[in-house]
């Protein structure tokens, strides 16, 4: 199995060819939004962090930003800061340079003389980068160059019964062909962690699964909270999920039956191939943000009740097995898997269809989130004391 992609100078392969206009701090969000909005091919996002953070939170913010710039779907990055923030441009630039040798330019609003001047200069800089990006040619690559994010949000009973198992079948086939996939949402493996741990490639990985779940529950208890106060969500309960254990048993199906190769921290890039688990919260926007920062070029997102979330860097393939949800939210959802419930299709058949759609999107087909521009600025980064 192969796909068309863009070879990057750092050796990675992108399935999109964006120029990223990246705010290093919240104060630069509007400047970046205006620049990106005027230039087809440029993307940006809302960064709510970058200042007013304790050191541990700043490290997480920097990891996400550096990961965004290094994501294979990005040709190059124009980073814009204010000038006086905690996340200083020189430090942030150095962190990006450690991860990738792709084009990087930096502007500071205070040094450029305000927003208008920065927009004017930033537009010229980004235009030049976009011209360079347009010269990149797509080439054919095997699936060993692809890493997908596995996500669920707005889950209901059809998620665990059909959508997640279907994605699991597609995931197994991709991994068998050399691809990698990242499963996450630590809060949503609680009660099923022992099942996932049984598939660990080695004792260290097995123990890490148990450790991250224990750390999550211990951290919540330390501040007088309980995981069950946030999981399942009200929508999950209306959709037929009564306990976190029930939700978790459905959630882990997205990872198929492949061995678990590695457990990585929030927004970190895996060092092994195959199925990876990332220690990220159950909040879907935060989880997608982390996995894209970790290097995923594409997101496979299952939903039972419906979800509009996209991503500025990686295309999001939205899937449901709830026919009513597909009809109501057709502008948001790409695939309807309800045939497995009415008997017109099997889990195996639908798994092959999802895999073919992944290959088409990797080759350039746009998802509905891309076509309509839904969810493109929706990013959430973890801070210390954020849990579920």
């Amino acid at each position: 199995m192969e796909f068309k992609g863009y070879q990057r100078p750092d050796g990675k392969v992108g399935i999109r060819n964006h120029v990223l206009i990246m705010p290093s701090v919240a104060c630069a969000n509007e400047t970046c939004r205006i620049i990106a909005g005027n230039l087809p091919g440029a993307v940006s996002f809302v960064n709510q962090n970058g200042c007013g953070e304790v050191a541990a939170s700043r490290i997480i913010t920097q990891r996400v930003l550096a990961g965004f710039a290094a994501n294979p779907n990005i040709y190059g990055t124009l980073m814009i800061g204010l000038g006086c923030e905690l996340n200083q441009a020189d430090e942030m630039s150095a962190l990006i340079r450690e991860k990738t040798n792709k084009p990087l330019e930096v502007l500071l609003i205070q040094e450029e003389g305000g927003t208008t001047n920065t927009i004017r200069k930033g537009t010229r800089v980004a235009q030049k980068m976009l011209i360079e990006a347009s010269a990149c040619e797509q080439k054919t690559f095997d699936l060993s160059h692809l890493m997908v994010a596995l996500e669920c949000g707005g889950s209901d009973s059809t998620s665990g019964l059909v959508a997640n198992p279907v994605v699991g079948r597609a995931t197994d086939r991709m991994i068998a062909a050399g691809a990698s996939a990242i499963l996450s949402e630590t809060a949503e493996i609680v009660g099923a962690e022992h099942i996932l741990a049984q598939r660990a490639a080695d004792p260290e990985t097995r123990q890490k699964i148990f450790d991250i779940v224990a750390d999550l529950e211990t951290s919540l208890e330390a501040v007088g909270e309980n995981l069950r106060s946030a999981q399942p969500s009200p929508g999950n309960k209306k959709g037929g999920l009564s306990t976190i254990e029930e939700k978790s048993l459905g959630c882990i199906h997205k990872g198929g039956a492949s061995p678990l190769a590695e457990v990585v921290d929030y927004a970190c890039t895996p060092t092994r191939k195959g199925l990876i688990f990332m220690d990220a919260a159950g909040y879907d926007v935060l989880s997608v943000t982390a996995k894209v920062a970790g290097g995923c070029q594409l997101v496979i997102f299952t939903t039972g009740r419906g979800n509009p979330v996209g991503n500025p860097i990686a295309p999001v393939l939205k899937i449901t097995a709830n026919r009513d949800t597909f009809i109501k939210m057709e502008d948001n959802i790409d695939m309807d898997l309800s045939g497995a419930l009415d008997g017109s299709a099997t889990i195996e058949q639908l798994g092959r269809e999802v895999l073919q759609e992944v290959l088409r999107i990797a080759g350039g087909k746009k998802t509905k989130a891309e076509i309509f521009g839904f969810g493109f600025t929706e990013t959430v980064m973890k801070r210390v004391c954020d849990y579920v």
Side-chain angles (χ1 to χ4, degrees):
M1 289 181 282
E2 298 175 326
F3 68 96
K4 294 281 190 179
Y6 300 92
Q7 181 78 62
R8 302 303 182 200
D10 58 10
K12 297 178 181 178
V13 175
I15 65 171
R16 296 295 184 265
N17 199 31
H18 302 308
V19 167
L20 177 62
I21 316 300
M22 184 171 76
S24 64
V25 65
C27 312
N29 282 335
E30 280 298 285
T31 302
C32 291
R33 180 189 65 80
I34 293 169
I35 293 172
N38 290 332
L39 297 171
V43 295
S44 190
F45 61 95
V46 174
N47 174 10
Q48 74 274 36
N49 297 352
C51 203
E53 300 179 284
V54 296
S57 288
R58 186 168 73 253
I59 289 170
I60 295 170
T61 297
Q62 291 174 333
R63 187 191 304 160
V64 171
L65 295 179
F68 276 3
N71 187 286
N73 290 348
I74 299 300
Y75 168 82
T77 299
L78 168 61
M79 181 174 67
I80 297 179
L82 178 59
C84 58
E85 60 271 20
L86 283 173
N87 185 26
Q88 286 287 289
D90 54 353
E91 181 181 1
M92 191 65 246
S93 297
L95 292 171
I96 293 173
R97 292 296 187 199
E98 289 176 8
K99 292 183 70 72
T100 183
N101 59 350
K102 295 185 294 185
L104 173 65
E105 298 288 342
V106 180
L107 295 177
L108 297 177
I109 296 170
Q110 290 171 347
E111 291 187 3
E112 297 301 328
T115 300
T116 303
N117 288 341
T118 307
I119 291 170
R120 186 181 299 113
K121 185 172 181 178
T123 299
R124 290 197 299 270
V125 171
Q127 282 176 329
K128 181 177 182 295
M129 209 175 282
L130 284 162
I131 291 170
E132 294 169 354
S134 70
C136 295
E137 296 182 4
Q138 284 185 304
K139 299 178 182 179
T140 301
F141 298 91
D142 62 56
L143 249 62
S144 65
H145 295 88
L146 185 66
M147 183 161 64
V148 299
L150 307 173
E151 187 63 38
C152 56
S155 299
D156 69 3
S157 57
T158 68
S159 299
L161 287 171
V162 174
N164 292 345
V166 166
V167 169
R169 299 299 197 281
T171 298
D172 285 339
R173 290 190 175 93
M174 286 187 283
I175 289 174
S180 293
I182 300 183
L183 189 66
S184 69
E185 300 176 290
T186 306
E188 297 180 13
I189 65 168
V190 172
E193 67 269 29
H194 60 292
I195 299 173
L196 196 58
Q198 288 174 356
R199 294 159 49 190
D202 53 65
E204 180 183 1
T205 303
R206 174 185 171 88
Q207 187 58 47
K208 188 71 181 290
I209 284 289
F210 290 120
D211 288 345
I212 60 175
V213 170
D215 289 346
L216 171 63
E217 298 215 81
T218 300
S219 298
L220 285 166
E221 290 170 3
V223 292
E225 292 290 346
N226 187 295
L227 176 64
R228 278 75 180 170
S229 67
Q231 295 287 354
S233 70
N236 295 153
K237 294 173 183 177
K238 288 181 180 179
L241 301 179
S242 60
T243 65
I244 183 59
E245 291 82 4
E246 191 174 43
K247 185 175 180 179
S248 296
L249 288 168
C251 178
I252 63 173
H253 276 299
K254 300 193 300 295
S258 298
L260 181 64
E262 186 178 17
V263 177
V264 298
D265 290 336
Y266 180 86
C268 287
T269 303
T271 61
R272 299 179 184 176
K273 302 286 290 183
L275 181 64
I276 312 297
F277 189 87
M278 179 179 286
D279 185 12
Y283 183 18
D284 43 27
V285 189
L286 183 148
S287 182
V288 167
T289 297
K291 285 179 282 197
V292 172
C296 291
Q297 302 110 307
L298 186 149
V299 181
I300 304 175
F301 194 127
T302 65
T303 181
R305 296 180 59 81
N307 191 299
V309 170
N311 186 267
I313 294 171
V316 179
L317 169 60
K318 206 66 65 65
I319 296 170
T320 189
N322 186 321
R323 180 63 180 170
D324 290 340
T325 296
F326 181 75
I327 293 171
K328 290 176 181 177
M329 297 188 66
E330 192 172 359
D331 288 345
N332 299 103
I333 299 175
D334 299 279
M335 296 187 74
D336 174 14
L337 308 182
S338 61
L341 292 172
D342 64 25
S344 61
T346 67
I347 297 289
E348 292 295 336
Q349 289 171 336
L350 293 170
R352 289 191 290 271
E353 289 181 20
V354 168
L355 175 56
Q356 290 305 310
E357 188 69 3
V358 166
L359 294 174
R360 285 189 285 266
I361 292 169
K365 179 182 177 180
K366 290 188 176 183
T367 65
K368 289 182 179 178
E370 290 180 287
I371 291 169
F372 293 114
F374 295 148
F376 260 43
T377 64
E378 293 168 350
T379 57
V380 176
M381 301 181 204
K382 175 183 176 181
R383 287 190 173 200
V384 293
C385 301
D386 288 343
Y387 298 112
V388 296

